[in-house]
Amino acid sequence: MKKFFKIFLWVLIAAVFVGTFVYLYIKSQPDEVKYAIVNPERASIERTTVLTGKIEPRDEIEIKPQISGIITEIAVDPGDMVHEGDIIAKIKVIPEASSLSSAQNRVSVASINLEDARLKLERSEALYGRKVISREEYEDAKKTYDQAVLELDAANDSYAIVRDGVSRYNATESNTLVRATITGLVLDVPVKVGSSVIQANTFNAGTTIATVADMTNLIFRGNVDETEVGQLEVGMPMTISIGALPEATPSAVIEYIAPKGTDTSGANTFEIKAALNIENVGKLRAGYSANATVSLNRASDVMTLPESVVEFTGDSTFVYVLTDSVDTQKFDRRAITTGLSDGIRIEIKEGVDSTASVRGDKI
């Protein structure tokens, strides 16, 4: 009995040892790798580029005063429609002391000259009535008087303009009335009643009273990388997508490509402008962020494969074509000639035909 137990123990130990060896051997064998099979398909491929930018009005005008002073009235609010010539604001003039004093002195001098001319005219009339002086001398005195009247009138008008900013003869065209220079939508009114404003001059850009834009004439303004700008041309169509209005996809046509690039965060980019073709602009607002998709190349009805199954080695491209699948999958590495790619599918010009079975991803 004891001998039988020893034999059984050794048999058990041998069985465990052999089982472990077999298990480890099986585990050490590589698993059979299987791949999905992809067949070439005929399709159209389009290579596009996306430009980021904004929707802007083509004509956006800053309305500035023609005279310095203080805002006494604002006649518009952002969002109002105005026509060329409409009053936007009124300004009260705060005259300079030197200019006001000069205008007052001119009035005083003109008054003195008028009084002198009046007295001379009265004497000339009396002398001319007694035939003491000629008619020509009398007419010269009359002309001098008339000129003095006009000079005093002009001096008083100049004084009124300096003091009030309003001409006595043309109040409707006064510089104190700020008017719209174009027909459009008021985008912004950055001043308030009581604000001081400065007229534009050589040394100062002037205070902006309002910004007005023609919202029926909009453009897309964006930037394109230098690697793609050479493939764009004026007149090329593009499709606009607006984040704030996903349902709006207006078309546009490139009308300007900057001849000089700008350095933007280390990348050299070129400005692009495109005219929007849109009938209803009621929902569009100036400054909307937008993307423009431009078609660079297109190949129609060509044989294609997923780009992920193509192996790129230097300037060469290869695919693995299935040659046997009875026991295990066997593939043959073949060189191919590729064409246009959209980043997902790639055009196959030579190397395989439509019946080929190409190795895809691992299953």
Side-chain angles (χ1 to χ4, degrees), residues 9 49 53 56 132 149 178 193 241 330 344:
L9 182 61
T49 185
E56 298 180 358
V132 175
V149 170
V178 181
V193 173
S241 59
K330 296 181 180 180
I344 299 176

Side-chain angles (χ1 to χ4, degrees), residues 32-51:
E32 181 182 354
V33 178
K34 291 187 176 182
Y35 294 90
I37 301 301
V38 178
N39 299 112
E41 297 179 357
R42 300 200 71 82
S44 295
I45 294 180
E46 185 177 30
R47 183 188 172 200
T48 61
T49 185
V50 178
L51 287 64

Side-chain angles (χ1 to χ4, degrees), residues 80-92:
D80 290 347
M81 281 294 301
V82 294
H83 294 84
E84 183 179 353
D86 287 353
I87 296 176
I88 291 180
K90 295 182 180 180
I91 298 175
K92 177 183 178 182

Side-chain angles (χ1 to χ4, degrees), residues 13-67:
I13 293 172
V16 172
F17 178 77
V18 171
T20 303
F21 177 78
V22 171
Y23 174 77
L24 293 176
Y25 174 77
I26 293 174
K27 292 294 292 182
S28 65
Q29 297 300 309
D31 295 332
E32 181 182 354
V33 178
K34 291 187 176 182
Y35 294 90
I37 301 301
V38 178
N39 299 112
E41 297 179 357
R42 300 200 71 82
S44 295
I45 294 180
E46 185 177 30
R47 183 188 172 200
T48 61
T49 185
V50 178
L51 287 64
T52 58
K54 291 184 177 181
I55 302 298
E56 298 180 358
R58 183 185 301 278
D59 299 317
E60 184 174 334
I61 307 299
E62 293 183 345
I63 309 299
K64 299 186 178 184
Q66 297 179 329
I67 196 168

Side-chain angles (χ1 to χ4, degrees), residues 46-356:
E46 185 177 30
R47 183 188 172 200
T48 61
T49 185
V50 178
L51 287 64
T52 58
K54 291 184 177 181
I55 302 298
E56 298 180 358
R58 183 185 301 278
D59 299 317
E60 184 174 334
I61 307 299
E62 293 183 345
I63 309 299
K64 299 186 178 184
Q66 297 179 329
I67 196 168
S68 300
I70 295 176
I71 298 289
T72 59
E73 180 182 341
I74 296 177
V76 297
D77 291 312
D80 290 347
M81 281 294 301
V82 294
H83 294 84
E84 183 179 353
D86 287 353
I87 296 176
I88 291 180
K90 295 182 180 180
I91 298 175
K92 177 183 178 182
V93 176
I94 306 299
E96 295 182 357
S98 59
S99 299
L100 186 63
S101 177
S102 178
Q104 289 175 327
N105 290 337
R106 181 182 173 186
V107 171
S108 299
V109 172
S111 298
I112 293 172
N113 290 338
L114 177 61
E115 179 63 17
D116 181 63
R118 185 184 65 79
L119 295 174
K120 289 181 178 179
L121 178 60
E122 290 178 353
R123 289 195 297 270
S124 296
E125 286 178 342
L127 294 174
Y128 178 68
R130 295 198 299 270
K131 307 295 183 182
V132 175
I133 62 174
S134 65
R135 181 178 181 82
E136 182 179 0
E137 290 177 306
Y138 167 71
E139 289 177 349
D140 287 342
K142 181 69 167 58
K143 182 174 67 174
T144 301
Y145 174 77
D146 291 341
Q147 290 174 343
V149 170
L150 292 176
E151 174 59 25
L152 178 60
D153 198 42
N156 282 321
D157 192 52
S158 296
Y159 175 68
I161 292 174
V162 172
R163 183 190 59 193
D164 305 320
V166 181
S167 171
R168 296 184 301 165
Y169 301 109
N170 197 10
T172 58
E173 298 298 328
S174 167
N175 288 343
T176 60
L177 302 178
V178 181
R179 298 179 181 273
T181 56
I182 64 169
T183 297
L185 185 74
V186 178
L187 301 182
D188 186 27
V189 181
V191 295
K192 299 179 179 180
V193 173
S195 299
S196 297
V197 295
I198 302 173
Q199 71 182 97
N201 53 50
T202 306
F203 307 102
N204 195 299
T207 305
T208 299
I209 303 294
T211 303
V212 180
D214 181 5
M215 294 297 290
T216 63
N217 189 1
L218 301 175
I219 64 171
F220 168 83
R221 186 195 301 269
N223 294 285
V224 62
D225 189 80
E226 63 179 342
T227 58
E228 296 179 328
V229 69
Q231 301 177 63
L232 300 181
E233 296 179 0
V234 172
M236 291 180 68
M238 59 172 56
T239 302
I240 308 297
S241 59
I242 303 169
L245 299 173
E247 73 281 1
T249 55
S251 61
V253 177
I254 297 176
E255 61 179 17
Y256 171 79
I257 301 174
K260 181 180 179 181
T262 56
D263 189 351
T264 306
S265 300
N268 197 27
T269 61
F270 292 77
E271 184 183 51
I272 301 291
K273 295 180 185 178
L276 264 67
N277 300 320
I278 189 164
E279 296 179 359
N280 182 11
V281 297
K283 294 184 178 181
L284 286 182
R285 299 178 183 273
Y288 269 157
S289 297
N291 293 328
T293 303
V294 186
S295 176
L296 300 178
N297 300 99
R298 181 179 175 83
S300 300
D301 192 26
V302 295
M303 190 164 61
T304 66
L305 279 172
E307 190 166 325
S308 60
V309 306
V310 178
E311 178 184 293
F312 296 88
T313 304
D315 295 332
S316 302
T317 50
F318 301 89
V319 293
Y320 290 84
V321 178
L322 181 68
T323 59
D324 186 8
S325 61
V326 176
D327 295 322
T328 59
Q329 292 177 324
K330 296 181 180 180
F331 298 93
D332 179 33
R333 186 172 184 254
R334 294 187 189 177
I336 60 172
T337 302
T338 59
L340 188 63
S341 171
D342 61 4
I344 299 176
R345 299 191 71 84
I346 189 169
E347 178 186 1
I348 307 300
K349 292 184 175 181
E350 295 179 359
V352 294
D353 55 27
S354 59
T355 62

